[in-house]
Amino acid sequence: MPDAVQTQEARTMKAVVFHEHGPVENLSLESVPVPEPGAGDVRIKVAYCALNHLDLWTRDGLPGLKLEMPHIGGSDISGTVDTLGAGTERYGFQPGDRVVVNPGVSCGHCRFCRMGEDPLCDTYHILGEHTRGGYAEYAVVPVRSLMSVPEGVPLKTAAAASLAYQTAYRMVVGRAKLRPRENLLVLGAGSGVSTACIQIGKMLGATVYTITSSDEKMRLAKAIGADHVVDYTKDTEWEKTLYKLSGKRGMDVVVDHVGEATWVKSMRTLGKGGRIVTCGGTTGPKLQLDVRHLFWKGHTVMGSTMANDQEWREVMGLVYAGKLEPVIDTEFGFADLPDAHRRMEEAEQFGKIVIRVAGEPDS
Ligand code: ZN
């Protein structure tokens, strides 16, 4: 009978799940079946999973989001290849290979995918949001979503970069087309996407402005390259301060994913020909627009989400090369995921919160 027991054990794994949408108390560490890879899929032994604000929204429940319960969240996965599903051999991965996962899954052949607009794909979905994700010892993902992680690049770094850096890269480079010596304003310096935007702005030779909420976060924002940082809790007319700091040119590009709380002021900072780009609104979804400014100053308002496969691979290459370096705020153990959610809910973090599921020997 020992064999039977072993087989039984081999088929379950630890995962942090929730059985219904709601507060952080709904998360629980449980034993669940190990997922089997279907055709075109690969099973990953998860080393790290990084948090995103999306995790909180998915846990709370989103309009139209119907999940198979219990759900396993977590979009930013890195680890090693465990088992190859049928038809994946030609991609060249072997068991044991160190890999990172693109959480954005597209079909690869529809009209939008062919145009490089993967996030607009008819079947676009995000691992950990629409399907089970990485807060588990194993995760099954499409082989097309994998990229090797070179030796010398920690798996923790790769997990921390995947969603935030592709989102930032598409907003700043793909959509707003930020140019050298332009002014870039990044709202909410502490988030993973914002720290990525600041670094990408500096890499491109822009002058980077940001607003944040404490002396410590101001110091950290400067440390990763922000040229001008304003504490919006002390300076409630920060939009005027930024305008003065820019020599009355205003901003060429603004990245605002804060939403209702900052949008009107963000729009006021825009100079002539300015572009404002958003990937969401953490403080609320309804935004105001003054059409007089929009047309007279030639402003452009852009929405953006995630990135296409090529952009993801480009920005991960920049991370691997050390040109962009994800800021790790804190690392939590697997069982401490609820504490990690609380830290993000309180907006205490600066950079990425990562969960060590199994870790790796070199970390
Ligand atoms: Zn498609």
Side-chain angles (χ1 to χ4, degrees), residues 106-110 113 121-123:
S106 56
C107 77
H109 49 75
C110 75
C113 285
C121 172
D122 293 339
T123 64

Side-chain angles (χ1 to χ4, degrees), residues 245-257:
L245 283 170
S246 74
K248 300 188 179 178
R249 169 178 169 142
M251 298 300 139
D252 300 294
V253 174
V254 176
V255 175
D256 184 338
H257 55 85

Side-chain angles (χ1 to χ4, degrees), residues 16-337:
V16 180
V17 306
F18 58 83
H19 291 265
E20 52 186 74
H21 293 292
V24 66
E25 288 75 21
N26 288 21
L27 297 175
S28 68
L29 184 63
E30 296 179 7
S31 284
V32 299
V34 173
E36 291 300 326
D41 293 335
V42 170
R43 185 163 67 208
I44 305 298
K45 187 175 193 306
V46 180
Y48 289 94
C49 193
L51 252 74
N52 292 284
H53 217 100
L54 181 63
D55 296 17
L56 306 183
W57 289 327
T58 304
R59 191 203 68 208
D60 287 340
L62 289 161
L65 181 66
K66 295 263 189 296
L67 297 176
E68 185 188 342
M69 297 292 179
H71 182 70
I72 302 169
S75 301
D76 268 332
I77 304 167
S78 67
T80 49
V81 171
D82 178 63
T83 303
L84 298 167
T88 59
E89 297 79 5
R90 66 190 169 92
Y91 287 83
F93 292 102
Q94 302 290 334
D97 283 356
R98 303 165 82 245
V99 289
V100 65
V101 179
N102 181 354
V105 181
S106 56
C107 77
H109 49 75
C110 75
R111 169 166 81 96
F112 290 108
C113 285
R114 288 201 309 273
M115 290 192 297
E117 300 287 343
D118 305 15
L120 303 182
C121 172
D122 293 339
T123 64
Y124 195 76
H125 62 277
I126 298 177
L127 296 170
E129 180 189 6
H130 305 95
T131 58
R132 286 178 180 160
Y135 296 127
E137 290 177 288
Y138 295 92
V140 165
V141 304
V143 67
R144 288 177 53 240
S145 307
L146 293 183
M147 185 175 180
S148 295
V149 179
E151 292 298 329
V153 176
L155 288 175
K156 178 163 57 177
T157 301
S162 188
L163 192 151
Y165 277 75
Q166 68 170 285
T167 303
Y169 195 66
R170 187 171 178 85
M171 283 199 292
V172 174
V173 178
R175 299 287 277 140
K177 298 191 173 21
L178 181 71
R179 293 182 288 259
R181 293 182 295 284
E182 284 195 318
N183 290 333
L184 169 68
L185 168 63
V186 180
L187 275 289
S191 81
V193 168
S194 294
T195 51
C197 288
I198 291 169
Q199 290 180 344
I200 291 167
K202 283 312 290 181
M203 184 185 73
L204 294 174
T207 305
V208 180
Y209 300 74
T210 189
I211 64 168
T212 189
S213 61
S214 70
D215 290 347
E216 177 63 3
K217 286 188 178 180
M218 287 178 77
R219 187 185 69 73
L220 292 166
K222 283 183 181 159
I224 61 166
D227 297 286
H228 303 281
V229 187
V230 175
D231 184 341
Y232 66 84
T233 62
K234 292 178 182 156
D235 183 355
T236 54
E237 296 193 324
W238 50 265
E239 79 281 18
K240 291 181 182 168
T241 305
L242 290 173
Y243 187 66
K244 282 182 204 147
L245 283 170
S246 74
K248 300 188 179 178
R249 169 178 169 142
M251 298 300 139
D252 300 294
V253 174
V254 176
V255 175
D256 184 338
H257 55 85
V258 180
E260 282 183 10
T262 51
W263 185 264
V264 169
K265 290 188 174 196
S266 288
M267 290 292 298
R268 283 191 194 135
T269 69
L270 277 183
K272 289 179 191 170
R275 293 90 78 196
I276 184 164
V277 57
T278 180
C279 63
T282 46
T283 59
K286 302 288 185 198
L287 308 178
Q288 282 182 37
L289 210 55
D290 187 328
V291 74
R292 294 168 299 182
H293 296 155
L294 188 69
F295 86 87
W296 189 249
K297 293 185 177 178
H299 290 165
T300 307
V301 179
M302 301 169 176
S304 187
T305 192
M306 302 294 284
N308 65 31
D309 181 71
Q310 186 187 339
E311 289 164 328
W312 176 65
R313 290 176 195 277
E314 274 177 24
V315 79
M316 291 307 294
L318 292 165
V319 171
Y320 294 167
K323 292 191 161 50
L324 300 169
E325 192 177 345
V327 180
I328 308 273
D329 172 80
T330 30
E331 178 179 329
F332 285 88
F334 192 21
D336 299 324
L337 183 64

